[in-house]
């Protein structure tokens, strides 16, 4: 071991390396994602609210009982990587050696090609980030199983590091004791004191033990690094698959929510449990099958609203009189160029006697409630091209009409009907938000049975009468969505026509998958101001004109 140091200074120089190690041990972190106090609070709150997250944590802890804290830290990291707007990972040297496997897993997740796509749906959204963790649960299980060997090596490396740190501390303590012995009065020496042989030997022994511990720690760290390097390719593959699956799930759920008219703002305000139940309901019920169709309907209706211009002119059919300056004919405008005729132009404008282009086109006239009467008789369950049922098409159209009413500040009423004794009314007033659960109840309800026109139309007429009496609003719109034609009595028809004339409402008919219902001698044709037949249930644009005129 070389020459025995003769003085305390020489002994201190020999122990210097270990003194510095014990004095400045670097801080080691157990989580890979850098997080502040608010991030940690968000994680704890989300964890407490999500039974599924807690169950996953318990399961992983049971499987990996000797490293149970590691699995909790891993779930925290996976959540924060998805939740934080700009997640930053710690450098490997900053990590506790026992968490290097976690660091590799999270690094592989963050570096996956689909991670940016995932974060578009999850960043800043605790619920979506929690769902991303759960979507990756299977892959996390596999990665933890596949890295058991590397994790064991990492644990050994951590223990060896602890041993080395304790050995360095022992050197410091032995040197301190040697200094105390040297400072005793009978051993004082102004030129440098020599510690007692026993104290010197104690320091020498702790230095030798520290050197052995350091070498062991280096070997353990190297073995852990090699094991982790061997596992890394498998971790990266599993991570890519996990992130892709999570991104697909997050994208699908976001699309499902959008299709049903649930906006991001509403989702943010929704309690965690309610949002989870809503997502589960949409995923597992038959409503999930309609999401794509509803989304296309809403997109089409949005496009029609964007194109529609109030009081837009259509085909030119002649010249009329009025004061609409947007339709003044050129010869009238020419008078403005002559000072002597400007007063004449102004007088004719005030009297509404300017010559204007006359046109005819579709005008938006509805101001009262929009009422969708949806047939839910047995035949509406029949599927057409693309596997879309008549019921699905009708209700997707009705939900788009609900949006139409919202944009126009009008009440919406959905009336589900079948036989004369089967009717259900869903009201959505314009002055309050449409409750999502109420919308889903409207979409899910199916009455079955035969078909009666009189009962739903009478209910619709009564609602418009009530609206007129309460708010003096007229000119409502009724849309009949059905696949059947059925008779009405003459007495009822007279009362219907009287109400229609008095309240000024319009009736639109949509014959779904049943062209004969739209024939000119059908009862539906007699009832409606405007009737169309829908044969291809994959075509949402067949109803586009409804959203231009309603």
């Amino acid at each position: 071991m070389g020459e025995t140091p003769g003085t305390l200074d020489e002994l201190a120089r020999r122990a210097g390396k270990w003194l510095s190690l014990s004095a400045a041990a670097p801080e080691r972190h157990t989580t890979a994602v850098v997080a502040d106090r608010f991030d940690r609070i968000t994680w704890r709150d989300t964890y407490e609210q999500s039974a599924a997250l807690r169950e996953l944590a318990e399961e992983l802890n049971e499987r990996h009982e000797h490293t149970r804290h590691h699995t909790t830290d891993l779930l925290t990291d996976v959540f924060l990587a998805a939740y934080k707007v700009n997640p930053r990972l710690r450098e490997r040297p900053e990590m506790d050696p026992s968490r290097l496997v976690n660091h590799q897993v999270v690094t592989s997740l963050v570096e996956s090609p689909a991670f940016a796509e995932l974060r578009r749906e999850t960043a800043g959204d605790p619920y979506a980030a929690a769902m991303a963790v759960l979507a990756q649960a299977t892959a996390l299980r596999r990665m933890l199983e596949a890295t058991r060997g590397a994790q064991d090596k990492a644990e050994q490396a951590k223990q060896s590091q602890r041993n080395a740190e304790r050995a360095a501390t022992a050197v410091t303590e032995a040197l301190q004791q040697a200094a105390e012995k040297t400072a005793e009065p009978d051993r004082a020496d102004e030129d440098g004191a020599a510690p007692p042989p026993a104290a010197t030997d104690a320091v020498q022994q702790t230095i030798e033990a520290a050197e052995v511990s350091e070498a062991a720690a280096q070997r353990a760290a190297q073995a852990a690094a090699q094991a982790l390097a061997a596992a890394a390719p498998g971790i990266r593959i599993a991570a890519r698959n996990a992130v892709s699956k999570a991104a697909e799930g997050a994208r699908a759920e976001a699309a499902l929510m959008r299709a049903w008219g649930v906006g991001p703002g509403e989702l943010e305000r929704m309690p965690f449990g309610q949002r989870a139940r809503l997502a589960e309901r949409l995923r597992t019920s038959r409503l999930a099958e309609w999401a794509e169709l509803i989304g296309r309907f809403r997109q089409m209706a949005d496009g029609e609203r964007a194109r529609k211009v109030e009081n837009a002119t259509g085909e030119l059919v002649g010249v009329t009189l009025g004061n609409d300056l947007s339709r003044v004919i050129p010869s009238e405008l020419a008078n403005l160029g002559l000072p002597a005729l400007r007063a004449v132009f102004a007088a004719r404008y005030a009297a509404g006697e300017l010559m204007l282009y006359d046109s005819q086109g579709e005008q938006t006239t509805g101001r009262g409630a929009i009422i969708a009467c949806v047939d839910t008789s047995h035949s509406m369950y029949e599927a057409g091209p693309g596997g879309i049922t008549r019921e699905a098409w009708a209700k997707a159209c009705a939900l788009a009409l609900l949006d139409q009413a919202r944009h126009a500040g009008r009440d919406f009423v959905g009336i589900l009907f079948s036989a004369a004794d089967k009717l259900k009314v869903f009201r959505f007033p314009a002055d309050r938000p449409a409750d999502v659960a109420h919308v889903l109840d409207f979409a899910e309800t199916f009455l079955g049975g035969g078909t009666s026109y009189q009962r739903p139309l009478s209910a619709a007429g009564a609602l418009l009468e009530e609206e007129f009496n309460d708010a003096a609003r007229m000119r409502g719109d009724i849309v009949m969505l059905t696949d059947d034609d059925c008779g009405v009595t003459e007495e009822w028809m007279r009362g219907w026509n009287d109400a229609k004339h008095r309240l000024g409402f319009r009736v639109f008919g949509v014959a779904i998958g049943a062209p004969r219902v739209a024939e000119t001698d059908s009862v539906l044709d007699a009832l409606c101001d405007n009737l169309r037949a829908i044969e291809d249930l994959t075509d949402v644009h067949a109803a586009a004109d409804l959203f231009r005129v309603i």
Side-chain angles (χ1 to χ4, degrees), residues 375 377 379-380 390 417 450-454 457 480-488 509-512 514-528 531:
D375 186 349
S377 61
S379 58
M380 289 290 285
R390 296 172 180 179
F417 71 93
T451 305
S452 168
Y453 282 176
Q454 288 187 194
L457 289 174
M480 278 285 288
L481 299 131
T482 182
D483 69 342
D484 200 2
D485 200 40
C486 62
V488 295
V510 184
I512 305 170
R516 65 176 182 79
V517 178
E519 294 175 357
T520 54
D521 59 349
S522 69
V523 174
L524 189 61
D525 179 62
L527 288 168
C528 297
L531 178 61

Side-chain angles (χ1 to χ4, degrees), residues 153 157 160 211-226:
K153 296 290 186 185
S160 295
E211 289 172 343
V212 171
S213 294
E214 180 190 38
Q218 290 175 348
R219 289 194 299 272
Q222 185 176 10
Q226 290 173 345

Side-chain angles (χ1 to χ4, degrees), residues 140-160:
L140 291 175
R141 293 186 190 99
R142 291 173 181 168
M143 283 189 276
L144 289 173
E145 289 296 330
T147 56
R148 274 185 183 271
Q151 187 61 62
D152 289 342
K153 296 290 186 185
E155 286 294 324
Q156 293 168 14
K158 179 174 182 177
Q159 187 58 49
S160 295

Side-chain angles (χ1 to χ4, degrees), residues 73-377:
D73 288 338
L74 178 60
L75 293 183
T76 304
D77 278 331
V78 176
F79 171 85
L80 292 176
Y83 170 74
K84 286 180 66 65
V85 175
N86 293 302
R88 181 172 69 85
L89 301 188
R90 303 185 194 281
E91 298 297 327
R92 285 173 61 91
E94 299 178 70
M95 296 297 298
D96 186 296
S98 66
R99 303 302 200 277
L100 287 175
V101 172
N102 287 6
H103 187 276
Q104 180 64 57
V105 169
V106 178
T107 299
S108 298
L109 293 173
V110 170
E111 293 178 351
S112 298
F115 185 71
E117 180 183 355
L118 171 65
R119 288 188 58 261
R120 278 196 289 272
E121 304 294 345
T122 62
D125 187 339
Y127 169 86
M131 294 303 105
V133 174
L134 296 174
Q136 298 172 87
T138 300
L140 291 175
R141 293 186 190 99
R142 291 173 181 168
M143 283 189 276
L144 289 173
E145 289 296 330
T147 56
R148 274 185 183 271
Q151 187 61 62
D152 289 342
K153 296 290 186 185
E155 286 294 324
Q156 293 168 14
K158 179 174 182 177
Q159 187 58 49
S160 295
Q161 184 187 64
R162 283 177 175 172
N163 292 339
E165 290 170 355
R166 281 196 289 267
T169 301
V171 172
T172 301
E173 292 172 350
L175 188 63
Q176 181 65 34
Q177 291 174 3
E180 291 172 357
K181 292 291 185 182
T182 305
E184 291 177 358
D186 59 340
R187 304 190 62 83
D189 187 337
E190 64 275 5
D191 296 324
T200 300
D201 290 344
V203 175
Q204 287 282 74
Q205 289 171 7
T206 57
I207 290 174
E208 291 169 5
E211 289 172 343
V212 171
S213 294
E214 180 190 38
Q218 290 175 348
R219 289 194 299 272
Q222 185 176 10
Q226 290 173 345
L228 187 56
I235 293 175
R236 283 193 287 270
I237 292 172
R240 281 198 297 270
N241 293 336
V243 173
S244 294
K245 180 179 179 181
E248 181 181 350
R251 188 171 58 249
E253 182 165 312
L256 199 59
M257 293 295 181
R258 285 193 297 270
W260 286 97
V262 186
E266 185 176 0
L267 288 176
E268 289 177 8
R269 294 188 298 271
M270 195 176 294
F272 188 98
Q274 181 183 348
R275 185 170 171 183
R277 290 190 295 273
L278 173 61
E280 181 69 13
R281 182 179 182 184
L282 292 178
R283 279 195 303 267
T284 57
S285 71
R286 63 196 182 106
L287 300 177
E289 302 173 7
W290 300 356
E292 192 271 338
L293 178 65
I294 292 170
R296 287 195 290 124
F297 250 107
R298 284 195 155 119
Q299 186 177 16
M300 177 273 293
D302 283 343
E304 293 303 318
R305 278 192 292 272
R307 290 173 50 195
K308 182 169 65 175
V309 178
E310 294 293 330
N311 300 318
T313 55
E315 179 185 0
L316 295 178
V317 294
V319 176
T320 187
L321 299 179
N323 58 5
D324 184 352
L325 296 179
S326 67
R327 293 190 289 136
V328 174
I329 66 174
S331 61
E332 287 277 30
L333 290 175
N335 292 335
L336 287 175
L338 302 174
L341 295 179
R342 287 174 187 169
V344 176
F345 181 93
R348 294 179 62 186
Y349 171 74
E353 294 179 352
L354 293 175
M355 288 189 291
L356 314 175
Y357 284 123
D358 193 12
S359 64
Q360 73 178 20
E362 295 170 330
Q363 303 293 319
T364 298
T365 59
R367 288 295 180 269
I370 297 176
I371 301 178
C373 297
V374 181
D375 186 349
T376 59
S377 61

